[in-house]
Amino acid sequence: MTTSRQQALIALKDVHKGAYVDVALDRVLRKVDLADNERRLVTELVYGSVRRVRTLDAIIDQLARKKSHQQPLLLRSILHLGLYQLQFQERIPPSAAVNTTVQLAKDNGFSGLSGFVNGLLRRYIRLGEELEGGEREEGEEGEENTIPIKLPENSVERLGILYSFPDWIVNVWMEQFGFSETEKLCRWMNQTPNIDLRVNQLCSSVEEVETALQNQGVLTQRIPNLPQALRLLSSPGAIKNLPGFNQGWWTVQDSSAQLVGYLLNPQPKEVIIDACAAPGGKTTHIAELMGDLGTIYACDRTVSRLRKLQQNTQRLNLKSIEICVGDSRDLSNSSQFVNLEDKILADKVLLDVPCSGLGTLHRHADARFRQTPENIKELSILQAELLLNTSKFVKENGSLVYSTCTLHPAENEAVIKLFLESNPNWKIEPPNTDSPIREYSTPEGWVKVLPHKHNMDGFFMVQLKKQTE
């Protein structure tokens, strides 16, 4: 009965040793033969326990004599698994959550503390029943009405505990969006991520892919403003087994990331540099949008990540992409560029910079606790260096699109403002009036996708135009 919970605990042990949650989970699932429903449960328990760790620790802190950080690490993870099921898994009966967690404690060397585990979980159930019994104020919304613990008065700390985010991230969002919008954003970031496809219109059509998937029982939905996008509404199983994968009919790409290609607006026979290309989702989209006619230099300094780009290029049967190994802070040292003129020059450059990923935290359960304010400072310096150096490869009257999947001004607006202050021959070029992304454009001319408003990953992007000096 505890097989799936035991596997989840093994994965959490690996995470506590420093493994990324997706790597730890994959390692466990490869070693055991579980039914599909058990695999889904293991996945939900692992991702959920990691994502909600601050909330779960706050519950332990209030219900146990010893604070969460004082508990043995393995016992703490066992409590996390039990509390996560009680609080966030409505399909699991409370009795099953308690009994399996107590058994998990016994099976992992905590028989003497099984009574403590049982008592803490049952006390939490009683608190929840008391809350359901009338303490909730009518008309209120939000998770504070379903988590029966005392919360801080400070709004940043309150949201941080409720939705399990570090205070510094909540504060960054509060300064931009205010309390109400930040709470909606936090809630959105805790949901299960969507899977979006981008149809390769050079060899298929949205209608053809839509029909093929529906014939296999996979429900889909079209996405406004994105003519190549399909969102999967039902569990697809193994992605590679879906119809059209091997034929290159489509690739997985979040809808926000698809917007970047439309802002760049590549045209047939243009020369384009994708300066941070791997693993290649945006590169291959550029090739498709320009009819696979022209030249795309796909640059990245990490060879292993470029292999994924090469695989995707071959599967999608694209010929216009040339892979370049090199650091985009100094493209002139890349062997593929030695024969180019001193100021060569691309019609357009895409600079999708390395970033903190604060717009995609729902996809990476542990990222919210791995990033720090210090990391943001380091990233912003790197981003500014990349922007300055890649801008040198743009023709006069050419353009550069800068994009991130973060919602931090230091990596977005601040980088662009600094660049424009030092480079007066560049200006912001807003999206065309007929562009699919016009509705995401701000008065300043950049594009911001807010997850809780647009139901997509959080993204920032801006098109910069190089003027004649």
Side-chain angles (χ1 to χ4, degrees), residues 308-430:
K308 182 68 173 177
L309 169 56
Q310 189 168 31
Q311 292 168 4
N312 284 330
T313 298
Q314 292 171 349
R315 184 176 62 83
L316 296 169
N317 195 32
L318 299 170
K319 309 299 183 186
S320 58
I321 298 170
E322 294 191 24
I323 293 176
C324 308
V325 181
D327 191 326
S328 290
R329 285 173 291 186
D330 188 5
L331 282 176
S332 59
N333 281 338
S334 174
S335 59
Q336 284 87 346
F337 283 83
V338 293
N339 294 323
L340 299 178
E341 295 179 7
D342 220 13
K343 288 189 174 180
I344 173 147
L345 287 161
D347 298 284
K348 291 166 184 170
V349 168
L350 171 61
L351 181 59
D352 183 55
V353 292
C355 71
S356 61
L358 298 190
T360 60
L361 295 178
H362 59 312
R363 297 191 183 278
H364 309 285
D366 48 357
R368 65 188 71 183
F369 301 111
R370 289 184 179 272
Q371 292 294 355
T372 65
E374 291 70 31
N375 289 352
I376 301 296
K377 291 178 183 177
E378 293 173 3
L379 284 165
S380 66
I381 293 170
L382 171 62
Q383 291 154 356
E385 290 177 353
L386 285 165
L387 178 54
L388 178 61
N389 286 285
T390 55
S391 68
K392 298 173 183 176
F393 283 80
V394 181
K395 290 179 179 178
E396 289 188 355
N397 297 314
S399 62
L400 181 151
V401 168
Y402 175 95
S403 67
T404 76
C405 59
T406 188
L407 298 174
H408 199 304
E411 301 177 82
N412 295 337
E413 293 92 335
V415 173
I416 300 304
K417 288 176 181 177
L418 178 65
F419 175 77
L420 293 177
E421 288 171 3
S422 305
N423 296 273
N425 60 317
W426 287 83
K427 68 173 184 177
I428 293 176
E429 184 84 356

Side-chain angles (χ1 to χ4, degrees), residues 76-183:
R76 178 182 169 216
S77 294
I78 291 170
L79 292 173
H80 285 171
L81 288 169
L83 290 167
Y84 181 77
Q85 292 173 78
L86 290 175
Q87 178 60 44
F88 300 109
Q89 290 292 289
E90 294 181 357
R91 296 181 180 180
I92 298 176
S95 58
V98 172
N99 294 338
T100 54
T101 306
V102 170
Q103 188 61 49
L104 200 58
K106 293 177 179 178
D107 292 344
N108 288 274
F110 295 103
S111 293
L113 293 172
S114 60
F116 158 70
V117 173
N118 181 69
L120 185 144
L121 297 181
R122 292 194 181 279
R123 184 181 173 195
Y124 189 68
I125 291 172
R126 289 195 296 274
L127 289 174
E129 291 172 344
E130 291 172 6
L131 183 67
E132 289 291 332
E135 292 187 7
R136 182 181 307 179
E137 293 183 23
E138 186 175 355
E140 281 192 341
E141 295 181 359
E143 294 192 16
E144 65 266 31
N145 300 307
T146 62
I147 298 181
I149 60 173
K150 183 175 176 58
L151 295 166
E153 293 296 326
N154 179 279
S155 57
V156 171
E157 293 178 12
R158 186 181 186 88
L159 291 183
I161 289 174
L162 276 174
Y163 298 100
S164 192
F165 285 92
D167 287 347
W168 73 268
I169 292 180
V170 177
N171 194 57
V172 166
W173 291 344
M174 286 268 284
E175 289 178 351
Q176 295 179 80
F177 311 122
F179 179 88
S180 178
E181 294 298 306
T182 297
E183 180 168 25

Side-chain angles (χ1 to χ4, degrees), residues 14-39:
D14 207 7
V15 170
H16 291 314
K17 292 177 182 177
Y20 286 99
V21 63
D22 56 337
V23 174
L25 179 61
D26 183 65
R27 194 175 292 154
V28 163
L29 294 178
R30 285 177 181 271
K31 292 179 180 178
V32 293
D33 184 19
L34 296 175
D36 287 346
N37 63 326
E38 288 186 311
R39 292 174 69 88

Side-chain angles (χ1 to χ4, degrees), residues 82-322:
L83 290 167
Y84 181 77
Q85 292 173 78
L86 290 175
Q87 178 60 44
F88 300 109
Q89 290 292 289
E90 294 181 357
R91 296 181 180 180
I92 298 176
S95 58
V98 172
N99 294 338
T100 54
T101 306
V102 170
Q103 188 61 49
L104 200 58
K106 293 177 179 178
D107 292 344
N108 288 274
F110 295 103
S111 293
L113 293 172
S114 60
F116 158 70
V117 173
N118 181 69
L120 185 144
L121 297 181
R122 292 194 181 279
R123 184 181 173 195
Y124 189 68
I125 291 172
R126 289 195 296 274
L127 289 174
E129 291 172 344
E130 291 172 6
L131 183 67
E132 289 291 332
E135 292 187 7
R136 182 181 307 179
E137 293 183 23
E138 186 175 355
E140 281 192 341
E141 295 181 359
E143 294 192 16
E144 65 266 31
N145 300 307
T146 62
I147 298 181
I149 60 173
K150 183 175 176 58
L151 295 166
E153 293 296 326
N154 179 279
S155 57
V156 171
E157 293 178 12
R158 186 181 186 88
L159 291 183
I161 289 174
L162 276 174
Y163 298 100
S164 192
F165 285 92
D167 287 347
W168 73 268
I169 292 180
V170 177
N171 194 57
V172 166
W173 291 344
M174 286 268 284
E175 289 178 351
Q176 295 179 80
F177 311 122
F179 179 88
S180 178
E181 294 298 306
T182 297
E183 180 168 25
K184 293 174 184 177
L185 177 57
C186 288
R187 188 182 302 134
W188 191 94
M189 285 293 183
N190 282 331
Q191 69 181 11
T192 302
N194 296 312
I195 297 177
D196 296 340
L197 306 184
R198 188 192 76 233
V199 175
N200 179 5
Q201 294 181 326
L202 300 181
C203 63
S204 187
S205 67
V206 171
E207 293 77 14
E208 185 176 15
V209 174
E210 198 172 40
T211 300
L213 291 172
Q214 289 174 353
N215 289 341
Q216 195 160 312
V218 179
L219 300 178
T220 63
Q221 178 186 65
R222 300 193 187 190
I223 301 174
N225 305 312
L226 288 168
Q228 293 174 259
L230 281 176
R231 176 161 291 169
L232 306 187
L233 299 180
S234 55
S235 178
I239 288 291
K240 292 182 179 180
N241 294 336
L242 292 178
F245 178 83
N246 292 327
Q247 297 91 334
W249 289 1
W250 51 265
T251 193
V252 175
Q253 186 181 37
D254 183 77
S255 46
S256 286
Q258 295 183 43
L259 292 172
V260 176
Y262 293 107
L263 182 59
L264 187 70
N265 193 26
Q267 299 299 310
K269 299 184 180 180
E270 285 185 332
V271 173
I272 293 177
I273 296 174
D274 186 351
C276 300
K282 299 178 185 69
T283 316
T284 53
H285 192 202
I286 293 169
E288 292 169 15
L289 289 173
M290 60 197 295
D292 205 25
L293 300 171
T295 304
I296 304 166
Y297 293 102
C299 309
D300 206 281
R301 65 180 182 178
T302 309
V303 175
S304 58
R305 284 169 53 81
L306 283 170
R307 290 195 194 102
K308 182 68 173 177
L309 169 56
Q310 189 168 31
Q311 292 168 4
N312 284 330
T313 298
Q314 292 171 349
R315 184 176 62 83
L316 296 169
N317 195 32
L318 299 170
K319 309 299 183 186
S320 58
I321 298 170
E322 294 191 24

Side-chain angles (χ1 to χ4, degrees), residues 17-74:
K17 292 177 182 177
Y20 286 99
V21 63
D22 56 337
V23 174
L25 179 61
D26 183 65
R27 194 175 292 154
V28 163
L29 294 178
R30 285 177 181 271
K31 292 179 180 178
V32 293
D33 184 19
L34 296 175
D36 287 346
N37 63 326
E38 288 186 311
R39 292 174 69 88
R40 286 193 293 271
L41 179 58
V42 173
T43 301
E44 177 62 32
L45 293 179
V46 172
Y47 275 109
S49 295
V50 172
R51 184 182 294 119
R52 294 285 193 166
V53 66
R54 187 178 182 189
T55 307
L56 300 173
D57 277 344
I59 295 170
I60 295 171
D61 289 347
Q62 291 196 23
L63 298 187
R65 290 181 181 176
K66 290 185 177 180
K67 300 294 184 183
S68 56
H69 69 275
Q70 297 174 312
Q71 302 288 345
L73 194 54
L74 190 59

